[in-house]
Amino acid sequence: AASLQKNPTTSKVVLLACGSFNPITNVHLRMFELARDHLEDTGQYSVIKGIISPVGDAYKKKGLIEASHRVEMARLATESSEWITVDSWESQQSDWVETAKVIRHHYEELLAREHNRDNVDTVKYTKKRRIEENYIASSLMLLCGADVLESFGIPNLWKQEDITEIVGQYGLVCITRCGGDPYKFINQSDDLWKYRKNIHVVHEWVTNDISATHVRRALRRGRSVRYLLPESVVRYVQEHGLYSADSEQKNADVVLAPFQKYSDASTSG
Amino acid sequence: MASCRAPLVLLACGSFNPITNQHMRLFELARDHMHSTGRFEVVGGIVSPVSDGYGKQGLVPAKHRISMAKLALQSSNWVTVDEWESQQPDWTETVVTMRYHHGQILKEYEQSAGRHSDTSGNFASPSSPFPQLKLLCGADFLSSFKTPGLWLEDHVEELVQRFGLVCVSRGSLQPERAVHESDTLFRHRRNVFLVREWVRNETSATEIRRALRRHLSVKYLIPDSVIEYIRQHELYTEDSERRNEGTALRPLIKQAHQPIKSLDD
């Protein structure tokens, strides 16, 4: 988007996208662009950063290839972006990390950076003065597709208190396909309804259903995926021979980490 | 490399106003499909942007559309941009463009056959079959054959019979239906190759231009180099979209005096 003048009274927002990114596609990257355009168009927000946080291997999703590859592909994909970055913290944890925890981690990092900056700025401002001038701290919002929003309803995939924390304390930017209707889903959940003002629904104006699943299928069949992924990622996939019938069978007999965790637990964590 | 495969060149005509990732996907999808039939080896792809004489609303000057296509295809090792059509003084019928390129391919083939070289040139061996040229298009293109005055029946006949079509399905349009509903297409259905893109991917240049007018991001829909070019030359504004407003498409005028036979005869 043409850079709108960053209005000093707008809230600064960082967008965080969690997911497999197996592999990252142009659709994933589009989500960031759409979200930024949408939020800035309201005149209330300034999107200052985007973070891609690929899930760790311990997630045990079928067909999930090594995190090192997924992180590297995301890095290659975002090289040309001035504001979207990749963070490997989540992928480096030995256990699967709940999304709410990932958000908390990144929010704390965000606050810490701002706090340091505040200290550096003591010549011009004291922290006290910034509070007096209604200083608005940056917020961190979870960026996702409508499928993630609707996955809130799948039993044992999310902890209720995590959902409440994510929408209540942070916020959600949900990208929906043309014809999609996340509002219906929001309506049907008391929790989501309560925090509906923190859920920003963005309609994709281009119909594009190309998913990572579709990309992996094409690769298994020796079909071209050019122009579905950034060029550098296509090359990386080719060079490393990623995504075959074999790789798709990984974790085939294993239970997805959240299901394992939440159905095992007799007391919630 | 199976020697029974016919070398094939794919030609896409269109506005390319601007070229998008979707346009380039058409070539990739078509190549994979034609290879998988076992009968073809795709040896080249040609993007042929229409000339300014086409008169379509919102069409920016050909020199820009050509430059953008060249930038977009820099990274491709088999698809190129050709300026011949865009340089003709008047709008050129698709079949005329096909004939021109077919002639060019023939010339190259004869030259390299004359050299009897076995370089990596596509048409090197005199014993290799003569390369075919087929028109690459989306399903909307196929449906446009029905639009009164847009196509001459003889041209459609020549297109499918002499050359052939490779048509990539797009969204909900069903190219099978267009073939079924046209006797000409039906008669030559063996030369109409339908490529199914199962997953919807509908980036249209119209949507891209709209987004650009509204200063919305089109990153990851068209190549970065094209975005930069558009920015530098300030293309695609409200003014540019009004170009040719109220003007009839050139084919409708040029072909207006011709008898328009229904393709459903």
Side-chain angles (χ1 to χ4, degrees):
Chain A
S3 217
L4 302 172
Q5 285 301 309
K6 302 279 190 207
N7 186 333
T9 65
T10 56
S11 293
K12 297 199 296 279
V13 174
V14 173
L15 296 171
L16 171 71
C18 297
S20 306
F21 300 102
N22 187 36
I24 193 162
T25 69
N26 283 342
V27 171
H28 292 130
L29 297 161
R30 279 292 299 152
M31 286 199 323
F32 281 91
E33 299 289 309
L34 284 162
R36 181 169 71 161
D37 280 346
H38 176 91
L39 289 175
E40 296 200 343
D41 194 53
T42 63
Q44 297 172 318
Y45 304 101
S46 247
V47 178
I48 57 173
K49 190 173 169 183
I51 304 172
I52 292 174
S53 175
V55 79
D57 293 331
Y59 187 50
K60 299 287 185 205
K61 191 171 180 186
K62 182 169 176 282
L64 194 69
I65 67 165
E66 295 89 332
S68 54
H69 285 310
R70 293 183 287 111
V71 168
E72 182 55 21
M73 287 188 287
R75 286 219 168 99
L76 288 168
T78 51
E79 248 164 11
S80 72
S81 176
E82 295 166 346
W83 65 287
I84 307 171
T85 61
V86 182
D87 191 281
S88 56
W89 177 84
E90 181 185 356
S91 67
Q92 286 167 355
Q93 305 310 304
S94 50
D95 286 332
W96 167 68
V97 185
E98 291 91 332
T99 303
K101 250 194 206 139
V102 179
I103 295 175
R104 261 176 251 144
H105 166 87
H106 284 285
Y107 188 64
E108 275 151 31
E109 270 197 1
L110 179 61
L111 285 184
R113 267 199 302 276
E114 294 201 334
H115 186 257
N116 291 339
R117 217 179 23 242
D118 281 350
N119 291 338
V120 166
D121 278 345
T122 47
V123 176
K124 277 195 165 179
Y125 301 94
T126 59
K127 191 164 185 186
K128 193 167 170 227
R129 188 191 293 182
R130 290 186 91 170
I131 290 167
E132 286 167 354
E133 289 173 349
N134 296 314
Y135 169 66
I136 306 165
S138 298
S139 51
L140 183 77
M141 296 190 196
L142 183 67
L143 170 64
C144 64
D147 54 338
V148 172
L149 182 70
E150 291 180 17
S151 81
F152 284 170
I154 298 174
N156 288 326
L157 190 59
W158 297 83
K159 275 196 298 196
Q160 204 46 51
E161 56 257 45
D162 281 359
I163 296 174
T164 309
E165 184 182 346
I166 294 170
V167 290
Q169 288 181 33
Y170 298 103
L172 209 67
V173 183
C174 175
I175 313 294
T176 186
R177 316 235 181 262
C178 300
D181 186 16
Y183 289 113
K184 187 170 173 191
F185 187 75
I186 294 168
N187 240 317
Q188 288 169 351
S189 155
D190 287 345
D191 239 357
L192 297 182
W193 173 251
K194 183 173 173 190
Y195 297 113
R196 64 195 180 284
K197 298 235 162 53
N198 293 346
I199 303 174
H200 305 265
V201 176
V202 184
H203 286 272
E204 165 65 292
W205 43 267
V206 158
T207 303
N208 194 336
D209 291 345
I210 302 287
S211 63
T213 303
H214 175 80
V215 168
R216 294 197 307 275
R217 183 182 300 128
L219 287 166
R220 282 201 297 284
R221 298 176 184 182
R223 301 286 164 110
S224 166
V225 294
R226 286 189 88 179
Y227 313 115
L228 300 181
L229 324 177
E231 195 58 31
S232 52
V233 180
V234 178
R235 270 200 300 273
Y236 186 93
V237 168
Q238 279 166 355
E239 281 162 24
H240 292 80
L242 304 177
Y243 300 118
S244 59
D246 281 341
S247 71
E248 196 64 14
Q249 286 313 303
K250 214 174 168 211
N251 297 320
D253 301 324
V254 179
V255 177
L256 199 71
F259 291 142
Q260 185 74 60
K261 189 165 184 182
Y262 297 144
S263 31
D264 274 353
S266 47
T267 53
S268 42
Chain B
M1 186 176 10
S3 55
C4 54
R5 286 178 183 266
L8 176 61
V9 176
L10 299 170
L11 171 74
C13 296
S15 305
F16 299 101
N17 186 37
I19 194 165
T20 68
N21 284 348
Q22 179 60 13
H23 289 130
M24 298 186 288
R25 270 307 283 161
L26 289 187
F27 282 92
E28 299 290 308
L29 287 162
R31 180 167 71 162
D32 282 346
H33 179 88
M34 299 309 273
H35 276 180
S36 73
T37 64
R39 293 159 49 194
F40 299 98
E41 194 208 340
V42 177
V43 298
I46 304 170
V47 164
S48 175
V50 79
S51 76
D52 293 330
Y54 188 49
K56 191 170 180 185
Q57 192 176 340
L59 198 66
V60 305
K63 70 166 196 241
H64 288 310
R65 292 181 287 115
I66 294 278
S67 294
M68 289 187 287
K70 282 186 172 154
L71 285 167
L73 291 166
Q74 246 164 16
S75 62
S76 177
N77 64 357
W78 68 285
V79 184
T80 58
V81 187
D82 189 276
E83 304 183 40
W84 180 84
E85 183 183 353
S86 67
Q87 287 167 347
Q88 300 315 298
D90 194 0
W91 165 74
T92 310
E93 293 88 337
T94 301
V95 78
V96 172
T97 304
M98 294 287 285
R99 287 179 202 147
Y100 166 76
H101 284 286
H102 191 256
Q104 292 299 108
I105 293 169
L106 179 60
K107 246 196 266 184
E108 261 185 66
Y109 178 76
E110 285 172 345
Q111 275 167 10
S112 58
R115 286 199 295 274
H116 286 282
S117 77
D118 57 357
T119 62
S120 58
N122 296 321
F123 320 118
S125 159
S127 61
S128 77
F130 179 70
Q132 295 186 30
L133 176 70
K134 294 196 190 300
L135 184 67
L136 169 64
C137 62
D140 47 347
F141 195 92
L142 209 63
S143 298
S144 81
F145 288 163
K146 288 207 297 275
T147 305
L150 201 54
W151 293 88
L152 294 178
E153 193 192 331
D154 293 343
H155 286 182
V156 178
E157 180 87 32
E158 186 179 340
L159 262 176
V160 281
Q161 180 179 34
R162 186 178 169 206
F163 298 109
L165 297 176
V166 181
C167 176
V168 181
S169 72
R170 187 169 152 110
S172 52
L173 286 175
Q174 292 170 309
E176 295 89 349
R177 174 157 289 245
V179 173
H180 169 72
E181 288 177 352
S182 153
D183 285 348
T184 308
L185 294 179
F186 185 78
R187 196 162 44 243
H188 302 291
R189 63 194 179 282
R190 275 179 210 91
N191 219 3
V192 178
F193 296 85
L194 300 176
V195 185
R196 212 68 182 88
E197 167 68 303
W198 288 105
V199 178
R200 289 181 312 170
N201 188 356
E202 294 174 28
T203 315
S204 76
T206 305
E207 298 276 8
I208 298 287
R209 293 197 305 276
R210 181 177 300 137
L212 287 164
R213 286 201 293 284
R214 299 173 183 182
H215 305 293
L216 298 176
S217 167
V218 295
K219 200 167 159 73
Y220 313 113
L221 296 176
I222 70 180
D224 285 346
S225 54
V226 178
I227 294 175
E228 183 53 29
Y229 185 95
I230 291 170
R231 198 192 59 80
Q232 269 171 17
H233 293 86
E234 293 171 348
L235 301 178
Y236 303 123
T237 58
E238 285 182 17
D239 280 340
S240 74
E241 197 64 15
R242 272 189 235 112
R243 265 180 130 231
N244 297 320
E245 198 171 33
T247 320
L249 279 185
R250 186 75 187 113
L252 297 173
I253 299 169
K254 195 173 179 186
Q255 293 167 166
H257 63 284
Q258 307 266 2
I260 298 164
K261 288 209 208 111
S262 165
L263 295 181
D264 297 332
D265 284 346

